[in-house]
Amino acid sequence: MSDPSALLADLTDDQRAAVTHGEGPLLILAGAGSGKTRVITRRVAYLLHTRVPAHKILAITFTNKAAGEMKTRVEKLVPGNKVWVSTFHSLGARLLRQYGERLGYDRNFTIYDMDDRTKLIKDAVEASGVDNVKFSPERIGGAISKAKNALVSPDQYERTATDFFSQTVAKVFPLYEKRLRNANAMDFDDLLYLPARALKSNEDLRADLDARFRYVLIDEYQDTNSAQYEIAKRLSVTYPNLCVVGDPDQSIYKWRGSDIKNILDFERDFPAARVITLAQNYRSTKAILRAADALISKNKQRKKKELITDNPVGEPVRVLTYDTGLDEAEGVVVRIKEAVTAGRFHYRDHAIFMRINALTRSLESAFVKHGVPFQIVKGLAFFERKENKDVLAYLRLLANPQDTVSFLRVVNEPPRGIGKVSLDKLQSFAARSDMGLLAAAGQVARVTEIKGKAATGLRDFHRMITDLRTKLDLPPHELVSLALVKSGYEAMLRESGDEDDAERLANVSELVTAAKQFHDANPESTIGDFLEQITLASDVDGWDEKTDHVSVMTLHASKGLEFPVVYVLAVEQGLLPHERSLHNDEEIEEERRLCFVGMTRAMKELYLCSARLREFRGSANYCIPSMFLHELPPDVETSDPSMLRNRARAAADTYRAKIGPVANDWADTGARPFVPPKKPDPKPLAANTPDTGFAVGMEVVHDSFGPGHVIEVGGFNALKFVRVRFTTQGVMKLLLSQEKNKLRAVPKS
C-alpha cells in the first residue's frame, strides 16, 4: 500500500486519529471487537510511510499467534519491512541474548518450561532442608514467579517474609536462582524480570535501547505486570512515543501478576498523553453487546464507555439451565450438531468456553457419542510427548552444555548403562569441581567410584555431544535429524518390536518436519530460535482454526478470538465467579471481566449455560446460578431444556399408564413430540473384513485421542491398521482389531 492516504480510507474518525497521531504518548482505549489490531498495524504502516526507519519501531503483543497476525498484516501494507514485532517474552529473550554479556549472562542460555522449573525447585527444596511435604514445588514455584513479576529479588523477598510459607519460599528462592545460573538457564519470568531490572539499574543500556526504539507500540496493555510496565516505561523516557492499546474491561490476568492500574493510571504516568476511545464494535450483534455492557457496568475499576454497533439486533442472548453437568454437555453438543445439520453453521463456527479445563471430560464423551469433531485447546500437546521432549532435551544440551535438567533427562536415553548411583557420584564430583555435568562426564576418569559400563557410557555420551556441537550452524531440521541418528534414539525406536515405539518414531519424524517448516518460514533461524519458539508458545498457538471442528477452551484462552456462536458452560457460583474470588471485591470484578471477555467473543449467537447438579472433583454438588446471570438485562431469554424434557417424559409416562407402551419416547429437544429416525447399527471394525471402513483423508475421532485424519490404511486380517494424524497427539498407528468402537469416521455435513 504505497499511498499513505489509502491506509486511512476505510477508518472511522477515531481510528484515523489514532493511526496518524504523531509524537508523544498515546492511550487507545479499544473496546471489544473495535478493530484494535487494524489500528495498531495501520499505525505501524503509517509511521513507515512518514519516513520513520523500521528498526526504530517496536511492536509488542502477548501471544505468538497475535504477533504472527500483526507481522502478516504489516507485511501486506508495507512489503519487505523489518519492523520488530514480538511478544514481551520473546523481546526479553532477544535482549538477553544480544546484551547478556554486558549484564553478566551467557547468551546461549536455555529457557526452562514449567516441568523443568519444578524439577529444579525440587532440588532446591531438598538442598534447603525445608519440609517438602507441607508445600509442593508447584506452590513454591508460584510464589517465586509472583515475586519475579513484581521485580522482587531473593534478598528483598527474605526481608518481607513474615509467615511460615513465605519464610519457606525465602529459603528456597536463592538456591533455585543459583541452580538456574549454574545451568545457564532462565525460567519464563526471568525473560521479563532480568531485562526490567537491567533497564532500571543500567542507565547506559536504557539510553541505548530508548534511542534504538523511538516508537514503541504495546497491544493488550491492560494485561501488563510490574516487569512489563517497567520495560515499557524505561524504553520511553528520552523518546516518550509510547502508544498503548487496551481495555480495562478485559484485564483478566491478575493471577499471573497483571495490574489493571497500569492502564487506568497511564495518564498519571504520562501527563501529556492523548486518549482516544474506540467504542464502535464490528463483531457482535446489538443483543450480545447489550448483555455484555449490562454485566461489565457493575464493575468500579474501569474507564466508562458503552460499546455501539451498526450490526443488527440479532438473536437474543439465551440462558440455558440443565439438570446436571452431563445433561449440559449432551444438550450443547446436540444443539451444535442440529445447527450444522440444518445448514445454519459449520462446526468451526462454534466455540465452547469454561472457567477451568477440568470441565471438559463430560464434553469429550458427548462429542464422541454424537460424532461431532472437536479440538480441546490446551497448548502444544505434540511437543509434550515423552519422545519429543527427549529429542528437544538433546537439542537444548547442544545449545547449552551447562543445561543440567536436559543432561539428566537424556544421558541414559537410550540406555547406556548409567544408573542413579553413578549419576549421584558424577553430580558430587561436578559440584566439588565447579563444573557442569557434561564437562564432568568428559572427565569421568577422575571419578574413581564410577567404573565399567557407566564410565564408558558417560565418556561416549560426552564425546557424542561434543561432536554434535560442532554442527550447531546446520539448519534446525538437519541438526534434529543428525541428533536422532548420532544419539542412537532413532535406532532404539526403529529396532524395537513394540508397536508404541513405531508411533514414537513417527512422532519424532514429525518433529523434524516441524523444524523444517519453522526454518522455511525463518531461513536465518538457528536451533536456538526453534527451541525458543516452542518453549514460549501459548495455549492458543496450538489451536487449529482451519479444520471444521468445534473449539473448546478456557475463557482465558479465548481472549482475542471470535466465533459466530459461543456457549459458556458452568456459569455457576463457585465456578464463574470462581470460589477463590467470592470474598474479594477486586477478584469478583476480575471474574466479571472474564465473563465479559467470553461473551464478547460471540458474533451472532451467545448461550450461557448452567446446571442444577454437577459432578466435579469426585463429588456431586448442587449448584447455584452465577450472580452474573442476575446482572444481565431483561431482554435475555431463559430456557430450561431439562424441564421441557422432564415434562415430556412425564406426559409420556401418563400416556403409557392409560393406553400401554408407546412406540417412541419424546426427545429432549423441546416440549413437542418427536420421533427420532432409527439409526443403522454401526458397522463393526472386524479384523477379517476386507474393507476397513476407512480411507486416506477421512476425518475421524477417537475416544481417547480426539479428532484427526487418516493418512494411511494397510495390513491384512488381524493386522489391519490405520495411521492417523491427530490434532493434539501427533501421528499414531492404530490396530483395528484393538480399536473396535473407539475410532469413528466423522460424518460429513
Side-chain angles (χ1 to χ4, degrees):
M1 197 176 285
S2 56
D3 180 8
S5 63
L7 291 170
L8 312 175
D10 58 347
L11 302 180
T12 65
D13 290 344
D14 288 332
Q15 289 176 332
R16 193 176 296 114
V19 169
T20 59
H21 173 77
E23 301 276 317
L26 172 65
L27 168 61
I28 303 174
L29 292 172
S34 61
K36 68 181 179 62
T37 305
R38 168 185 288 195
V39 169
I40 201 168
T41 52
R42 294 287 180 93
R43 176 162 174 76
V44 171
Y46 188 82
L47 289 172
L48 291 171
H49 278 301
T50 56
R51 307 295 184 188
V52 175
H55 66 273
K56 296 287 186 182
I57 303 171
L58 172 65
I60 307 174
T61 186
F62 270 77
T63 67
N64 288 334
K65 188 176 183 63
E69 182 181 351
M70 196 180 292
K71 284 179 187 176
T72 300
R73 290 201 191 189
V74 174
E75 178 64 25
K76 285 181 180 178
L77 295 170
V78 187
N81 74 84
K82 298 294 182 182
V83 172
W84 191 349
V85 181
S86 171
T87 65
F88 261 112
H89 286 86
S90 294
L91 168 67
R94 192 163 171 182
L95 292 178
L96 286 168
R97 295 199 193 280
Q98 287 188 0
Y99 298 94
E101 292 177 2
R102 285 171 61 174
L103 304 172
Y105 303 112
D106 186 323
R107 65 188 306 274
N108 293 315
F109 59 83
T110 299
I111 303 171
Y112 278 175
D113 62 20
M114 295 294 284
D115 287 343
D116 300 327
R117 185 187 80 171
T118 299
K119 289 175 185 174
L120 222 57
I121 288 177
K122 281 182 180 177
D123 290 343
V125 168
E126 290 177 8
S128 70
V130 302
D131 184 352
N132 61 354
V133 175
K134 285 188 173 66
F135 307 119
S136 68
E138 289 80 7
R139 186 178 174 193
I140 292 173
I144 292 173
S145 175
K146 189 174 182 181
K148 287 187 177 183
N149 284 326
L151 297 181
V152 175
S153 69
D155 289 343
Q156 291 170 319
Y157 191 94
E158 184 180 21
R159 288 197 294 271
T160 59
T162 54
D163 59 78
F164 183 62
F165 174 67
S166 60
Q167 289 169 353
T168 300
V169 174
K171 293 177 182 176
V172 176
F173 196 171
L175 297 175
Y176 168 66
E177 288 294 284
K178 186 173 188 298
R179 278 162 171 71
L180 275 175
R181 301 300 163 250
N182 288 345
N184 188 28
M186 309 274 181
D187 60 23
F188 283 128
D189 303 308
D190 284 333
L191 302 181
L192 304 176
Y193 170 73
L194 296 175
R197 289 183 69 90
L199 287 168
K200 194 173 182 179
S201 61
N202 189 321
E203 177 57 25
D204 289 341
L205 177 64
R206 189 214 62 74
D208 286 351
L209 290 174
D210 195 343
R212 177 178 176 181
F213 301 120
R214 295 283 183 95
Y215 292 85
V216 179
L217 302 91
I218 301 177
D219 195 10
E220 306 287 6
Y221 190 70
Q222 76 280 348
D223 291 328
T224 52
N225 59 28
S226 296
Q228 291 159 333
Y229 166 81
E230 197 68 41
I231 292 170
K233 184 178 176 183
R234 299 288 169 176
L235 291 179
S236 309
V237 176
T238 313
Y239 302 94
N241 301 317
L242 175 63
C243 168
V244 303
V245 185
D247 181 7
D249 291 338
Q250 298 184 69
S251 178
I252 59 173
Y253 291 108
K254 184 180 179 182
W255 54 275
R256 70 181 188 196
S258 71
D259 188 350
I260 194 173
K261 291 186 176 63
N262 291 346
I263 191 167
L264 294 177
D265 295 342
F266 186 81
E267 295 138 286
R268 180 204 65 190
D269 296 331
F270 297 91
R274 182 181 183 185
V275 181
I276 297 174
T277 300
L278 305 180
Q280 179 80 23
N281 179 285
Y282 300 95
R283 175 188 300 151
S284 305
T285 63
K286 287 183 173 70
I288 291 170
L289 292 185
R290 263 201 307 269
D293 267 333
L295 177 72
I296 203 63
S297 67
K298 303 297 187 294
N299 273 9
K300 296 178 180 177
Q301 288 193 88
R302 65 189 300 257
K303 287 181 178 287
K304 188 175 180 180
K305 65 181 179 302
E306 184 175 342
L307 294 174
I308 58 175
T309 185
D310 294 331
N311 291 338
V313 174
E315 292 289 318
V317 174
R318 291 182 172 88
V319 174
L320 306 179
T321 305
Y322 294 89
D323 275 348
T324 69
L326 292 175
D327 290 339
E328 177 190 62
E330 178 89 3
V332 167
V333 170
V334 167
R335 292 180 71 100
I336 291 172
K337 186 170 185 177
E338 288 175 346
V340 174
T341 302
R344 294 176 54 230
F345 296 104
H346 296 286
Y347 285 119
R348 64 176 171 270
D349 295 331
H350 295 83
I352 301 176
F353 305 150
M354 58 210 66
R355 178 64 175 81
I356 54 177
N357 267 320
L359 296 173
T360 62
R361 183 183 57 80
S362 56
L363 264 179
E364 294 181 57
S365 301
F367 279 127
V368 172
K369 174 182 175 182
H370 293 283
V372 172
F374 68 100
Q375 179 189 12
I376 296 179
V377 182
K378 289 183 180 177
L380 299 178
F382 173 72
F383 295 107
E384 295 299 316
R385 294 181 66 91
K386 178 195 178 298
E387 59 272 18
N388 288 336
K389 291 203 76 168
D390 286 345
V391 177
L392 293 173
Y394 269 109
L395 301 174
R396 285 165 35 170
L397 188 59
L398 295 180
N400 172 21
Q402 297 294 112
D403 187 345
T404 306
V405 172
S406 294
F407 176 93
L408 292 172
R409 182 178 185 104
V410 297
V411 67
N412 202 41
E413 189 71 54
R416 298 181 175 92
I418 307 167
K420 183 179 184 305
V421 173
S422 296
L423 286 175
D424 288 344
K425 291 174 180 175
L426 186 73
Q427 287 178 283
S428 297
F429 170 73
R432 291 195 307 271
S433 306
D434 194 24
M435 64 174 67
L437 291 177
L438 183 64
Q443 299 187 34
V444 69
R446 294 175 54 193
V447 190
T448 56
E449 304 99 318
I450 304 177
K451 301 181 176 67
K453 196 171 183 180
T456 302
L458 286 167
R459 189 165 46 248
D460 291 347
F461 181 78
H462 174 268
R463 187 181 299 117
M464 180 263 295
I465 295 294
T466 302
D467 180 55
L468 281 171
R469 292 198 74 243
T470 65
K471 314 292 185 184
L472 281 172
D473 291 336
L474 288 174
H477 57 288
E478 293 183 21
L479 186 59
V480 177
S481 295
L482 191 61
L484 279 167
V485 173
K486 294 292 186 182
S487 66
Y489 202 92
E490 182 183 44
M492 174 186 72
L493 297 177
R494 192 179 299 281
E495 294 165 11
S496 169
D498 188 337
E499 190 72 27
D500 290 341
D501 282 340
E503 303 315 317
R504 294 185 181 107
L505 181 61
N507 282 317
V508 297
S509 299
E510 283 290 300
L511 189 62
V512 177
T513 302
K516 186 175 189 310
Q517 290 170 345
F518 176 77
H519 183 257
D520 290 344
N522 308 274
E524 303 299 317
S525 61
T526 65
I527 193 63
D529 297 326
F530 176 60
L531 292 171
E532 187 171 298
Q533 181 249 357
I534 292 171
T535 308
L536 297 182
S538 67
D539 279 358
V540 157
D541 294 325
W543 173 52
D544 176 8
E545 59 189 297
K546 296 178 181 177
T547 304
D548 191 24
H549 53 213
V550 180
S551 295
V552 182
M553 65 189 76
T554 64
L555 285 160
H556 284 99
S558 75
K559 181 78 175 297
L561 306 180
E562 62 182 25
F563 299 89
V565 185
V566 165
Y567 288 85
V568 184
L569 304 194
V571 188
E572 298 150 11
Q573 208 71 353
L575 285 174
L576 183 65
H578 196 278
E579 60 186 354
R580 288 195 301 265
S581 69
L582 295 178
H583 303 293
N584 184 301
D585 289 344
E586 285 192 6
E587 291 184 11
I588 283 286
E589 291 210 356
E590 172 139 344
E591 293 289 304
R592 189 178 284 111
R593 291 193 293 268
L594 186 58
C595 188
F596 173 82
V597 165
M599 293 172 68
T600 53
R601 301 310 94 197
M603 301 165 70
K604 296 181 178 180
E605 295 183 13
L606 172 63
Y607 301 89
L608 305 173
C609 308
S610 65
R612 296 184 181 87
L613 183 74
R614 185 176 300 279
E615 289 189 39
F616 184 57
R617 293 175 180 161
S619 63
N621 299 294
Y622 287 103
C623 306
I624 300 172
S626 171
M627 59 189 290
F628 300 153
L629 297 178
H630 301 296
E631 298 172 353
L632 300 177
D635 60 343
V636 169
E637 290 189 359
T638 60
S639 178
D640 196 328
S642 291
M643 185 176 291
L644 293 174
R645 180 196 62 193
N646 293 339
R647 286 175 179 169
R649 285 179 174 171
D653 290 341
T654 302
Y655 190 65
R656 283 193 197 93
K658 290 181 178 179
I659 67 166
V662 295
N664 293 288
D665 283 344
W666 289 355
D668 57 0
T669 54
R672 60 187 178 84
F674 169 74
V675 180
K678 181 173 174 56
K679 296 181 180 179
D681 293 332
K683 186 176 181 180
L685 302 180
N688 59 358
T689 55
D691 182 10
T692 64
F694 296 95
V696 173
M698 180 181 287
E699 291 189 10
V700 295
V701 64
H702 190 279
D703 287 6
S704 302
F705 310 130
H709 64 273
V710 178
I711 60 174
E712 182 184 357
V713 179
F716 299 94
N717 299 324
L719 296 180
K720 284 186 178 180
F721 70 88
V722 290
R723 195 181 299 276
V724 180
R725 178 175 282 111
F726 289 104
T727 302
T728 58
Q729 302 294 328
V731 175
M732 301 187 76
K733 181 179 175 183
L734 304 175
L735 205 60
L736 292 181
S737 61
Q738 299 175 2
E739 301 297 328
K740 292 180 181 178
N741 300 323
K742 293 182 182 178
L743 183 72
R744 299 175 180 80
V746 175
K748 293 185 178 179
S749 58

